[in-house]
Amino acid sequence: MTKKKPDTQTNPDTLLAHVGRHPAENHGFVNPPVIHASTVLFPDIETMSTGGQRYTYARRGTPTSDALEEAVTTLEGAAGTRLAPSGLAAIAVALQSCLSAGDHLLVADSVYGPCRNFCNSVLARFGVSVSYYDPTDLDALEAAFRPETRAVFTEAPGSLTFEMQDIPAIAEMAHKRDAIVLNDNTWASPLYFKPIEHGVDLSIQAGTKYIVGHSDVMIGTIAASERAWKALEKTHGDMGMCVGPDDIYLALRGLRTMGVRLERHMKNALQVADWLSRRDDVARVLYPALPGAPGHDIWKRDFDGASGLFAVELAPAPDAAVEAFINALEMFGLGYSWGGFESLLTWPRPKSIRTATSWDAEGALLRLHIGLEDPADLMADLERGFAAFNAARG
């Protein structure tokens, strides 16, 4: 007898343990099979000519890719999902599914840097005009729409500087003009924010981060609403996008523990962020889940949780003092990604890339990803950094 699968109203942790798995169809094995394939055989020429079977060529899907796409579709409350070989590739496919030459795109000025680069290079080369808008100014956004505006790209919170956007208000504004709304939801994942329920048409994740969770796979996901699904499905196929089965398997494996990991990331991050916010050598902490932080009210209204990523602005100091801080750390690795079990730090310079807004903070901005280590050990490590920072700044 086949057991009934949990429905979408089930607790997220239970869903994570069950979505995308069909043991009764796979000889009782708990996990979906990892199918390494290119060629798929047809039983006869009629079936081949008519495409009369589920699988036709591995680039267009296998039971392995189906398992992850089904899982993400359920978690997102989407009409369908497609996979890409990285988060940036997912952004590129999503944007190209809803834009053509002559169209206009609005992008939050706080957006992920490689997304900005894709818009300014590839999209511009193919005749799509791009404007950047203040992510927190709804009036300015409304004024930026043109008759040819076809899409609005959002990110909540913003990359590096963590501005919160009013996604439902932006979606309403865009849909009145028949524009598609895209959202990079990597920070919260669909466990803590469901973009499609808030009016988004294309919900994007760099699954490299929290779905995988172990810093060893590159993968992206695009989940679409009913309105955006057909165009996404066609564009994804036309571009020949696919992901290797071993990477999909590791993403499925990571997905099963994403709930417990995110819960710990948030718990640890809140403790470290609160500790940082009380220090005299910290100007401010940019973490929407922290009471009093910018965007906290929107986060509290729309989100069910937070991840381990936030930024801290240090007190004004020479670059040499910031370098001393970073070089004194022993537990925080220097690395561009995040979402894994380990804590990471980068020193971004948002002022150099903004065009619609300015970033005029006097102190250095450090982006921290709080991993699964004991928070006391992480704070002790940061204390070493602050000792070196304060000694160097005099």
Side-chain angles (χ1 to χ4, degrees), residues 131-180:
S131 300
Y132 295 91
Y133 65 91
D134 183 332
T136 62
D137 189 337
L138 291 174
D139 291 336
L141 173 59
E142 188 154 32
F145 276 88
R146 304 174 187 172
E148 68 271 22
T149 301
R150 293 291 173 266
V152 182
F153 196 99
T154 66
E155 190 175 42
S159 186
L160 306 181
T161 46
F162 296 87
E163 294 90 346
M164 289 299 297
Q165 293 195 263
D166 191 333
I167 302 299
I170 293 171
E172 182 179 4
M173 190 184 301
H175 289 163
K176 284 180 180 177
R177 297 164 171 85
D178 200 30
I180 292 287

Side-chain angles (χ1 to χ4, degrees), residues 22-322:
H22 300 280
E25 298 173 13
N26 294 304
H27 309 286
F29 290 108
V30 170
N31 290 307
V34 182
I35 294 178
H36 294 81
S38 56
T39 302
V40 178
L41 298 179
F42 298 81
D44 51 56
I45 189 62
E46 181 182 359
T47 305
M48 188 178 200
S49 300
T50 61
Q53 63 184 38
R54 168 63 186 90
Y55 301 107
T56 59
Y57 190 61
R59 173 166 49 78
R60 303 307 295 264
T62 70
T64 307
S65 61
D66 279 358
L68 182 56
E69 288 176 347
E70 178 189 325
V72 174
T73 296
T74 302
L75 293 169
E76 294 265 16
T81 296
R82 284 292 179 258
L83 307 179
S86 70
L88 179 58
I91 289 170
V93 173
L95 284 168
Q96 289 174 98
S97 76
C98 60
L99 293 167
S100 300
D103 289 346
H104 175 239
L105 168 67
L106 287 164
V107 179
D109 203 33
S110 54
V111 76
Y112 174 55
C115 175
R116 178 186 290 266
N117 181 65
F118 175 80
C119 293
N120 293 345
S121 57
V122 178
L123 289 185
R125 193 165 75 245
F126 286 99
V128 175
S129 61
V130 181
S131 300
Y132 295 91
Y133 65 91
D134 183 332
T136 62
D137 189 337
L138 291 174
D139 291 336
L141 173 59
E142 188 154 32
F145 276 88
R146 304 174 187 172
E148 68 271 22
T149 301
R150 293 291 173 266
V152 182
F153 196 99
T154 66
E155 190 175 42
S159 186
L160 306 181
T161 46
F162 296 87
E163 294 90 346
M164 289 299 297
Q165 293 195 263
D166 191 333
I167 302 299
I170 293 171
E172 182 179 4
M173 190 184 301
H175 289 163
K176 284 180 180 177
R177 297 164 171 85
D178 200 30
I180 292 287
V181 180
L182 303 92
N183 175 248
D184 186 332
N185 192 40
T186 303
W187 184 84
S189 86
L191 296 189
Y192 290 160
F193 180 64
K194 294 192 181 299
I196 292 173
E197 289 184 4
H198 289 80
V200 168
D201 300 295
L202 292 164
S203 174
I204 301 157
Q205 292 181 81
T208 306
K209 275 63 174 178
Y210 287 121
I211 290 178
V212 172
H214 291 77
S215 302
D216 53 5
V217 173
M218 303 286 286
I219 196 168
T221 69
I222 317 120
S225 67
E226 289 284 355
R227 179 186 183 208
W229 168 239
K230 291 295 184 184
L232 172 66
E233 185 180 33
K234 184 176 189 322
T235 302
H236 183 273
D238 290 348
M239 293 179 68
M241 282 286 170
C242 58
V243 180
D246 293 316
D247 288 346
I248 296 172
Y249 161 74
L250 288 171
L252 278 165
R253 188 173 187 176
L255 186 83
R256 306 304 174 194
T257 62
M258 186 166 69
V260 292
R261 285 187 286 104
L262 272 172
E263 184 178 343
R264 179 58 64 88
H265 282 298
M266 178 179 174
K267 179 181 177 183
N268 288 359
L270 277 169
Q271 188 171 340
V272 174
D274 180 66
W275 175 78
L276 287 166
S277 71
R278 300 173 190 275
R279 297 188 61 93
D280 293 336
D281 38 20
V282 169
R284 56 178 172 162
V285 175
L286 302 176
Y287 186 40
L290 188 68
H296 178 72
D297 290 344
I298 292 178
W299 173 83
K300 189 174 182 180
R301 184 193 72 189
D302 293 343
F303 286 63
D304 295 321
S307 68
L309 192 75
F310 64 86
V312 56
E313 181 190 336
L314 300 179
D319 282 358
V322 182

